[in-house]
């Protein structure tokens, strides 16, 4: 459509918007690391779908202090949200918990820190508050429960009694009193004592104790009246109950000597008080005892009755004066305890007030006032006797000494029984302590016109919160006043006329710099809030007043029930329990005691825990209810909750809670009837999940049972909700390998706790099928470098004892030995493997061995080498297996393993580098623990030998050798070999002491069991020589003999040779078993990562072969380098080339290229055992060699150029002088020698053996030339770099050759599979001409014939149509007869076998000589055959056909290897056109 600029078109676009609605979700995360006792957050999910509850616990916080804890809130949703924190309705006042939230808006995945502060106000009170944390949308809700405890002080005396003893009038006795503060807060104390008026004095009457400290106070006693003194002194402490200390003293004069008052007398008096006998004087009690009216014990103390225990606070307040309550009627009372004289203007006038003392006892008492008329305050008369039940008045005089001063004192009056002055007249020592009556006095001398001192003070708080109490209970608190000014302060608190609040003391004087502690008491008379404002009048001036607000609560029992007081249970299985959490909240400020009550019928169905207990103020306590139905129906029950206060008037209140439940039936089933657990590590644990379904309407309590210890359940007793699925964790822990089937059953329980009982029989749930395995870590390949580079793989395999290593690693370790801890006892119990690093002269190259280990199991595992230094154990602990042997304990610098630990997945391998340094002469051993996680643990004894220079030494990896098993009764026995390695730096001569062999021969009926064919010989340095042995067992048993091997100039070693003879066919029928050693079954593959040229396999096993056969195998040689050309050359010795051929013998490989090498083994000569024949392959880096040749050419060219060049450095004058000097010398006598300096000419360094021959010749020529001897030329030429050294790879060959007859007997099914290349043919020279037979062909002619026929076949195959037609025509022609292609007759085979059996039994070489032809093996008795016919039936043509087929197959494999065609592709189907 075409639009112009003036047209309008409406286009409607529709789109679909997709969005996902999300609720915000807040998660509370703890921060910091705290102890278990002070963990910040305890998160638990309540049952019944309740909100998540977070508990924030504050413990032991001092009053007035603030504690803070923090946690983080995370928004785990993908939407932005706003945090809201709401306080639940609480009766706790004031608010002691506060929250600080810096940021309320949270982005997705953001974190915010929320801090909680706790500031307690009342000591020894538990505070609980609840807060609701939720987001603005209400998607998530979390309840934060804050619990805090206010910690009070802990101040005590070291001793609560101070006994001054006897003292003369006017004398002073001093004692110490230690006061201890064991809390973490400061403690303010004050003694209720006026040291100026009392006979008892304390140096620090008030003060402050630092946290966790103590202070020693000096107490003194000084009296003027000869009487007994007793005072129970109160020490008032801020925020703690008062302490009491008992002060005792006795004063004597010359005339009056009262009995000495002791602490036991106070106990005696208390006993009298408990029985009501203290109202009688000791004289009266003595008379009553004589009359029999009272019974006393042997010490004169009446039988003591238990008294009601009172708190220290109650004892301090309830004295009958400050409080209307008193525990007992006082023996002597005073009508007033405090006198205020007010203002006195005239100093010369006397102001007096009267007080009255009443005697409430049954005998006369004497009252004595302390002080005299010289004091500002004094009492007259000073002493007076008061008859029983009578009163006496005394006058208190105030006589100030200076104007404008405040005066205050506490006078003391001691009253005691009159009869105590003549105590010696009593038959028993009855002494009653005196009663101390204090009297407080105050006054001042300020005139009405003058102003009093301006008070400067500090109050600890102007609003005091009393702990809440129930009706009939008292509550206490304290107030601290500090005088911070330089003048005394007179204080006067107003009284509460209602009697609810009391204060002690309420009037007095605080000196400058001192403090006063007040104790306050509250006794509410009705429930509710109690509040009073006390007026504090200071310095008798209405202008100096302050207010102190007192607040307290009297509570009645009240709770709030969840769910409006109803309780519902889910449907429950019969005879089982279903539980339900039901909450009860204490809505009052005092703790409540609760108790659940129900009828007997309901008690059979319902149980609750706890049945009774205490609920803290504002606590929401959860009670666990259990319902156990007896029948399948609905049931209504009516339990009752009764709550009462814990102290005071026990007022109770009841709440009815209706409960409803239903009984039903149920069963369980598993999601899978059989749970498979494959590849479980033996001795290890693995967890499997089993899903269990509950299809019924009721929750089921059940217990799981297993019939084997191989499967463990984490929690046997569980509960499964109705219509839900539950996952059970089954821990599979097999102790041995194998497959096991374990049955799991279940049984219903009455509940899920330990007190549950079983219901019904066991029911089957499912089966668990366990397949247990263990880690199998074995050695698969080994190679060497350095000093051991001449060793082949089989020698390294035997040196490291890897056969034993693999056999032990294949055995599972017992479960009790899988611990990874390394201890002395565990080391001694581990299997041990000796690993030898060979021998080399001191200072040789390090022995570097590359060991490849593979995980052949089905599970991954970790492995590690543990050296003694790794676990800090002494080496002798690790070397317990070498008792009596001289051991060198090297450090880690001689032996090393890289890497020392690793992880291997199943089917993977890793190459380790083991290194030994020849630094120290001698034999070095180091025990190393090789551990596999949850697998075998082996003690590897690393052994290395460093030979002294010029010392002949043969290295024996082991002191025993076992020959391959040999059958008895053989006509021809195979030759065995034993290798000796010269580990020293010089050639050596050895010989064997065969006397033991002769003794073994005599013990076996003069039969040669062991025969050494090479008993002596020479070994070059670093070379190996094979000793040939002939083992001919006489019986089917094991033979062994010790043979000493002597070394000329060296040590002698005894080697134990052993061999086993067996009878019959079948024990060793397979090729692998005939080869006997386990390592022969191992086809090594090159796995060393740094090896550039690699073989497809480094061991070829031809197996058992008959004589005159030929067997071929191929080896792929691959150049793994990316930029280097590599050449290889097979080094086959002359004697080995008679039966072993490798083609091509050498080759050049480009980077990444490969070459096929054909290895042909021809069985010739005599039967022999070829075990681990080592074929070396020399590998050269041609790229590096080419670079070296270029550098060498440049070096030689430079050397030739410098030969003809020289530089003149002398000046012209020196040249003229030298010319004149030489001319003068020529004129002298010829006998005078010339002084020539030859110092510049030095001999060239020796030519090293690593330099090629051509280079050596060139360097030798240069060295003979004097021109190159100049230092200038040598410095210009520089140092010639060393040429690249070829590396050597090893190919191991294993085979065993049998005679044809023996092979046919032992392997009757295999004889037809071999082509006998050199059958015994016996041609006649007169009848057979070279033209009719191929036997006369030379080797080159035979190879030409094979190549020609191979080309003919290839050309024929290329012409598919003509060849097809020719083959179709040949199929119609009769088959021609060629006598050369006829199979050999049985007579020929038997003749060849008989000839082979008559070979000599003793041989001197393991090679196959050319003289051992088939004609030599022809028996003489076979003469009934026509020689002409035997020649015609020769096998030369069959050999050509065999080689032709071999060449064809080899060409096919080569072309497939080069990628010319796919040898594994399916054959093509040719569909021809159908003929009509």
């Amino acid at each position: 459509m075409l639009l112009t600029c003036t047209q309008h078109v409406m286009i409607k676009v529709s789109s679909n918007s997709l969005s996902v609605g999300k609720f915000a979700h807040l998660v509370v995360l703890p921060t910091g690391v705290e102890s278990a006792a002070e963990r910040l957050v305890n998160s638990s999910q309540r049952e019944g779908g309740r909100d998540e509850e977070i508990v924030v616990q504050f413990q032991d916080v001092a009053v007035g202090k603030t504690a803070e804890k923090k946690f983080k809130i995370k928004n785990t949703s993908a939407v932005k949200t706003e945090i809201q924190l709401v306080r639940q309705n609480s009766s706790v006042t004031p608010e002691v918990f506060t929250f600080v939230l810096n940021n309320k808006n949270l982005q997705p995945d953001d974190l915010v820190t929320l801090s909680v502060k706790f500031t307690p106000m009342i000591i020894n009170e538990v505070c609980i508050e609840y807060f609701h944390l939720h987001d603005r949308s209400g998607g998530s809700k979390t309840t934060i429960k804050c619990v805090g405890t206010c910690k009070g002080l802990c101040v005590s005396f070291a001793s609560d009694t101070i006994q001054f003893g006897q003292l003369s009038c006017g004398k002073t006795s001093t004692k110490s009193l230690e006061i201890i503060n064991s809390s973490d807060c400061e403690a303010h104390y004050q003694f209720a004592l006026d040291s100026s008026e009392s006979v008892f004095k304390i140096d620090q009457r008030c003060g402050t104790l630092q946290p966790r400290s103590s202070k020693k106070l000096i107490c003194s006693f000084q009296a003027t009246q000869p009487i007994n003194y007793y005072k129970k002194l109160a020490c008032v402490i801020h925020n703690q109950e008062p302490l009491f200390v008992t002060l005792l003293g006795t004063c004597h004069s010359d005339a009056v000597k009262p009995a000495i008052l002791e602490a036991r007398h106070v106990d005696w008096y208390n006993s009298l008080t408990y029985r009501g006998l203290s109202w009688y004087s000791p004289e009266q009690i003595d008379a009553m005892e004589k009359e029999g009216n009272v019974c006393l014990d042997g010490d004169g103390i009446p039988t003591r009755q238990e008294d009601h225990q009172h708190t220290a606070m109650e004892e301090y307040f309830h004295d009958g004066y400050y409080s209307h309550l008193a525990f007992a009627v006082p023996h002597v009372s005073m009508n007033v305890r405090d006198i205020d004289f007010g203002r006195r203007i005239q100093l010369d006038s006397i102001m007096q007030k009267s007080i009255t003392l009443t005697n409430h006892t049954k005998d006369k008492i004497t009252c004595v006032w302390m002080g005299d008329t010289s004091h500002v305050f004094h009492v007259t008369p000073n002493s007076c006797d008061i008859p029983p039940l009578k009163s006496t008045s005394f006058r208190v005089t105030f006589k100030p000494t200076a104007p404008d001063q405040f005066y205050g004192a506490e006078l003391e009056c001691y009253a005691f029984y009159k009869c105590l002055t003549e105590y010696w007249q009593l038959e028993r020592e009855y002494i009653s302590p005196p009663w101390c009556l204090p009297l407080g006095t105050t006054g001042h001398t300020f005139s009405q016109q003058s102003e009093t001192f301006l008070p400067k003070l500090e109050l600890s708080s102007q609003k005091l919160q009393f702990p809440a109490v129930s009706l009939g209970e008292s509550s206490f608190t304290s107030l601290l006043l500090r005088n911070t000014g330089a003048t005394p302060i007179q204080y006067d608190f107003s009284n509460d006329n209602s009697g609810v609040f009391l204060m002690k003391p309420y009037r007095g004087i605080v000196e400058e710099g001192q403090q006063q502690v007040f104790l306050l008491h509250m006794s509410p008379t009705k429930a509710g809030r109690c509040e009073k404002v006390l007026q504090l009048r200071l310095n008798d001036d209405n202008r100096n007043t302050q207010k102190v607000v007192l607040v307290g609560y009297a509570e009645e029992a009240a709770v709030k029930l969840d769910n409006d007081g109803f309780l519902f249970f889910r449907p429950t299985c019969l005879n089982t329990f279903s539980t339900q959490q039901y909450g009860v909240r204490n809505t009052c400020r005092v703790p409540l005691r609760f108790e659940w009550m129900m009828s007997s019928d309901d008690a059979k169905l319902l149980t609750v825990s706890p049945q009774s207990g205490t609920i803290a103020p504002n606590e929401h306590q959860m009670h666990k209810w259990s319902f156990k139905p007896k029948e399948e129906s609905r049931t209504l029950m009516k339990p009752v909750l009764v709550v009462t206060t814990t102290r005071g008037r026990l007022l109770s209140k009841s709440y009815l809670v209706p409960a409803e439940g239903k009984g039903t039936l149920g069963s369980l089933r598993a999601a899978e009837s059989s749970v498979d657990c494959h590849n479980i590590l033996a001795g290890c644990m693995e967890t499997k999940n089993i899903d269990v379904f509950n299809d019924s309407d009721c929750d089921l309590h059940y217990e799981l049972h297993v019939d084997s210890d191989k499967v463990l359940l984490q929690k046997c007793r569980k509960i499964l909700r109705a219509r839900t699925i539950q996952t059970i964790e089954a821990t599979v822990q097999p102790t041995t390998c194998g497959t096991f089937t374990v049955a799991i059953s279940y049984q219903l329980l009455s509940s899920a706790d330990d007190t549950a009982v079983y219901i019904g029989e066991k029911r089957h749930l499912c089966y668990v099928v366990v397949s247990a395995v263990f880690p199998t870590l074995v050695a698969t390949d080994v190679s060497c470098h350095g000093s051991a580079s001449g060793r082949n793989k089989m020698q390294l395999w035997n040196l490291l004892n890897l056969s034993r290593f693999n056999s032990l690693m294949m055995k599972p370790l017992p479960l009790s030995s899988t611990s990874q801890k390394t201890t002395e006892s565990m080391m001694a119990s581990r299997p041990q493997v000796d690993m030898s690093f060979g021998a080399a002269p001191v200072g040789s190259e390090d022995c570097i061995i590359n060991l490849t280990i593979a995980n052949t199991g089905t599970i991954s595992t970790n492995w590690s080498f543990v050296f003694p230094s790794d676990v800090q154990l002494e080496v002798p602990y690790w070397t317990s297996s070498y008792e009596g042997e001289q051991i060198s304990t090297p450090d880690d610098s001689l032996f090393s393993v890289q890497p020392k630990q690793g992880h291997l997945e199943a089917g993977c391998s890793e190459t380790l580098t083991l290194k030994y340094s020849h630094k120290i002469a001698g034999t070095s051993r180091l025990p190393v623990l090789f551990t596999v996680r949850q697998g075998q643990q082996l003690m590897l004894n690393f052994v290395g030998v460093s030979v002294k220079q010029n010392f002949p030494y043969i290295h024996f990896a082991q002191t025993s050798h076992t020959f391959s098993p040999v059958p008895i009764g053989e006509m021809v026995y195979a030759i065995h070999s034993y290798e000796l390695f010269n580990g020293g730096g010089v050639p050596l001569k050895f010989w064997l002491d065969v006397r033991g062999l002769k003794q073994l021969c005599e013990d076996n009926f003069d039969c040669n069991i062991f025969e050494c064919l090479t008993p002596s010989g020479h070994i070059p340095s670093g070379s190996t020589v094979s000793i040939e042995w002939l083992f001919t067992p006489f019986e089917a048993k094991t033979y062994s003999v010790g043979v000493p091997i002597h070394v000329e100039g060296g040590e002698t070693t005894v080697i134990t040779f052993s061999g086993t003879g067996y009878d019959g066919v079948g024990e060793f029928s397979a090729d692998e078993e005939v080869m006997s050693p386990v390592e022969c079954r191992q086809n090594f593959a090159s796995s060393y990562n740094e090896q550039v040229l690699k073989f497809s396999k480094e061991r070829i096993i031809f197996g058992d072969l008959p004589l005159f056969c030929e067997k071929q195998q191929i080896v792929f040689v691959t150049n793994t380098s990316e930029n280097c050309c590599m050449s290889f050359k097979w080094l086959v010795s002359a004697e080995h080339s008679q039966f072993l051929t490798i083609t091509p013998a050498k080759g050049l490989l480009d980077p990444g290229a490969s070459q096929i090498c054909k290895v042909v083994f021809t069985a010739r000569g005599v039967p022999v055992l070829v075990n681990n024949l080592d074929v070396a392959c020399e590998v050269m880096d041609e790229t590096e060699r080419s670079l070296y040749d270029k550098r060498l050419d440049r070096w030689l060219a430079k050397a030739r150029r410098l030969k003809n060049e020289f530089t003149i450095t002398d000046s012209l004058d020196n040249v003229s002088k030298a010319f004149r000097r030489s001319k003068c010398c020529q004129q002298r006598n010829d006998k005078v020698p010339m002084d020539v300096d030859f110092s510049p000419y030095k001999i060239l360094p020796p030519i090293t053996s690593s330099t090629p021959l051509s280079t050596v010749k060139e360097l030798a020529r240069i060295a003979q030339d004097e021109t190159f001897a100049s230092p200038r030329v040598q410095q210009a030429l520089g140092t010639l770099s060393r040429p690249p050294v070829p590396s050597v790879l090893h190919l191991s060959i294993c085979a065993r050759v049998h005679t044809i007859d023996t092979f046919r007997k032992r392997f009757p099914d295999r004889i037809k599979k071999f082509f006998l290349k050199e059958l015994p043919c016996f041609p006649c020279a007169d009848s057979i001409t070279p033209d009719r037979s191929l036997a006369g062909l030379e080797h080159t002619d035979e190879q030409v014939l094979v190549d020609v026929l191979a080309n003919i076949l290839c050309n024929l195959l290329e012409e598919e149509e003509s060849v097809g037609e020719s083959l179709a025509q040949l199929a119609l022609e009769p088959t021609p007869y060629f006598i050369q292609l006829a199979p050999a007759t049985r007579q020929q085979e038997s003749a060849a076998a008989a000839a082979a059996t008559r070979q000599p039994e003793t041989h001197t070489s393991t090679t196959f000589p050319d003289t051992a032809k088939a004609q030599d093996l022809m028996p003489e008795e076979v003469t009934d055959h026509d020689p002409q016919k035997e020649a015609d039936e020769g096998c030369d043509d069959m050999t050509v056909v065999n080689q032709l087929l071999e060449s064809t197959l080899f060409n096919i494999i080569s072309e497939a290897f080069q990628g010319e065609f796919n040898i594994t592709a399916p054959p093509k189907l040719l569909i021809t056109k159908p003929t009509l």
Side-chain angles (χ1 to χ4, degrees), residues 1288-1363:
V1288 178
L1289 301 181
H1290 299 272
L1291 180 65
S1292 181
I1293 306 297
C1294 293
R1296 170 173 284 184
V1297 180
H1298 306 267
T1299 62
I1300 298 177
D1301 187 39
T1302 303
F1303 192 85
R1304 180 182 290 109
K1305 291 179 181 179
R1306 301 189 61 188
F1307 311 102
D1309 298 335
R1310 300 189 184 181
I1311 189 64
K1312 299 180 180 179
K1313 298 181 180 179
F1314 290 93
F1315 170 69
L1316 303 181
K1317 185 175 182 180
E1318 297 182 2
L1319 281 176
C1321 301
F1322 309 99
C1324 181
D1326 299 334
S1327 59
I1328 301 177
T1329 60
D1331 296 336
R1332 295 187 58 190
S1333 175
L1334 298 177
L1337 293 178
E1338 298 294 336
H1339 177 71
T1340 55
D1341 299 336
E1342 183 180 353
Q1343 186 66 31
V1344 169
L1345 178 61
V1346 171
D1347 295 339
V1348 169
L1349 293 177
N1351 292 330
I1352 292 174
L1353 289 178
C1354 292
N1355 294 330
L1356 291 176
L1357 293 177
E1358 291 178 358
E1359 301 177 0
E1360 297 180 359
E1361 297 180 358
S1362 60
V1363 172

Side-chain angles (χ1 to χ4, degrees), residues 966-1103:
V966 175
I968 62 175
E970 293 288 326
M971 298 300 295
V972 179
Y973 289 92
I975 298 176
H976 303 263
S977 61
Y978 177 70
E979 295 180 345
L980 296 180
F981 177 75
N982 183 2
V986 294
L988 59 85
K989 179 181 179 181
F990 72 93
W991 68 91
L992 277 68
D993 188 354
V994 296
R995 287 178 294 179
L997 303 181
K998 296 179 181 179
Q999 182 64 34
L1000 182 63
C1001 178
E1002 294 177 0
D1003 296 342
N1004 290 273
F1005 310 100
D1006 293 333
C1007 294
N1008 290 328
I1009 304 300
F1010 293 104
E1011 183 178 359
C1012 182
L1013 304 181
T1014 53
S1016 62
H1018 293 79
I1019 309 177
S1021 175
S1023 300
T1024 302
V1025 170
S1026 296
I1027 301 178
E1028 297 180 349
W1029 287 81
L1030 193 62
F1031 174 45
T1032 57
F1034 181 70
E1035 298 177 276
K1037 68 175 186 180
T1038 300
Y1039 299 89
S1040 63
V1041 62
V1043 178
I1045 300 179
H1046 303 278
V1047 178
E1048 183 177 2
E1051 299 176 351
T1052 300
T1053 306
V1054 178
I1055 305 299
T1056 302
F1057 294 93
S1058 61
T1060 303
Y1062 65 93
D1063 185 12
V1065 179
E1067 295 185 26
F1068 302 91
S1069 59
D1071 286 350
E1072 291 81 359
E1073 295 297 336
V1074 172
M1075 303 312 294
S1076 181
V1078 178
E1079 53 268 17
C1080 287
R1081 300 197 296 268
Q1082 186 73 255
N1083 285 328
F1084 295 115
S1086 300
S1087 58
Y1088 183 47
N1089 295 331
E1090 297 182 3
Q1091 184 175 312
V1092 178
L1093 205 66
K1094 293 186 177 182
F1095 298 156
S1096 60
K1097 52 184 177 180
E1098 297 188 359
R1099 165 161 297 186
I1100 297 178
I1101 301 176
F1102 289 99

Side-chain angles (χ1 to χ4, degrees), residues 118-363:
F118 173 53
T119 307
M121 306 297 295
I122 303 172
I123 61 174
N124 299 329
E125 186 179 42
V126 178
C127 301
I128 299 177
E129 282 195 72
Y130 295 88
F131 299 85
H132 296 301
L133 177 68
H134 57 85
D135 60 291
R136 183 175 55 183
S137 62
S140 62
K141 183 178 181 181
T142 303
T143 300
I144 301 178
K145 179 182 179 180
C146 299
V147 181
T149 303
C150 181
K151 177 178 64 175
L153 297 177
C154 183
V155 181
S156 60
F157 290 133
S159 177
D160 58 354
T161 301
I162 299 178
Q163 190 169 337
F164 292 94
Q166 176 187 348
L167 190 68
S168 300
C169 293
K171 301 295 183 181
T172 302
S173 177
T174 303
K175 299 285 185 179
S176 64
L177 175 63
E178 185 177 6
I179 183 170
I180 304 171
N181 180 14
S182 303
S183 61
D184 298 329
C185 306
E186 288 185 347
H188 304 279
Y189 69 91
Q190 181 173 12
F191 288 93
L193 179 69
D194 187 356
S195 299
S196 61
E197 298 292 339
S198 176
V199 295
F200 300 101
K201 297 176 177 57
I202 298 179
D203 59 342
Q204 300 181 29
R205 192 171 62 91
C206 60
T208 302
L209 283 175
Q210 297 299 323
R212 302 291 178 180
S213 64
S214 62
K215 181 185 294 185
K216 283 191 176 182
L217 307 178
I218 305 301
C219 300
S220 59
F221 170 61
Q222 183 179 13
T224 58
Q225 301 292 335
I227 60 174
N228 289 326
Y229 295 90
Y230 164 71
K231 185 178 181 64
K232 193 171 184 179
L233 180 62
C235 178
V236 184
I237 302 174
H238 185 45
N239 291 328
Q240 182 184 316
E241 292 187 348
L243 301 177
F244 292 93
V245 58
T246 301
L247 304 178
L248 300 174
T250 302
C251 182
H252 286 186
S253 65
D254 297 337
V256 180
K257 297 182 182 296
I260 300 176
L261 184 62
E262 299 178 356
R264 59 186 178 88
H265 299 140
V266 178
D267 295 337
W268 178 80
Y269 171 77
N270 292 333
S271 300
L272 294 177
T273 303
Y274 297 145
R275 293 195 59 184
L277 300 176
S278 60
W279 306 100
Y280 300 93
S281 65
E283 184 179 9
Q284 293 174 335
I285 294 177
D286 189 17
M288 294 170 61
E289 182 183 7
K290 293 178 181 180
E291 296 175 357
N293 296 331
V294 65
C295 295
L296 303 178
D297 59 8
D299 296 333
I301 299 176
T303 304
R304 184 168 181 173
Q305 300 177 353
E306 295 296 332
D307 63 317
H308 176 67
Q309 297 294 332
H310 304 287
T311 63
M313 194 71 75
E314 293 175 343
E315 184 178 356
Y316 181 76
F317 264 101
H318 297 167
D319 55 358
Y321 178 78
Y322 286 95
S323 173
H324 64 280
L325 299 177
F327 299 134
V329 178
H331 296 74
V332 181
S333 64
M334 188 183 301
N335 62 338
V336 294
R337 288 290 184 93
D338 195 14
I339 297 178
D340 183 15
F341 287 93
R343 178 182 289 107
R344 182 181 176 183
I345 302 176
Q346 299 179 358
L347 299 180
D348 54 351
S349 62
I350 298 176
M351 183 177 294
Q352 294 182 344
K353 289 189 178 183
S354 63
I355 59 173
T356 301
L357 270 67
T358 303
N359 180 11
H360 300 279
T361 65
K362 305 296 184 180
D363 201 356

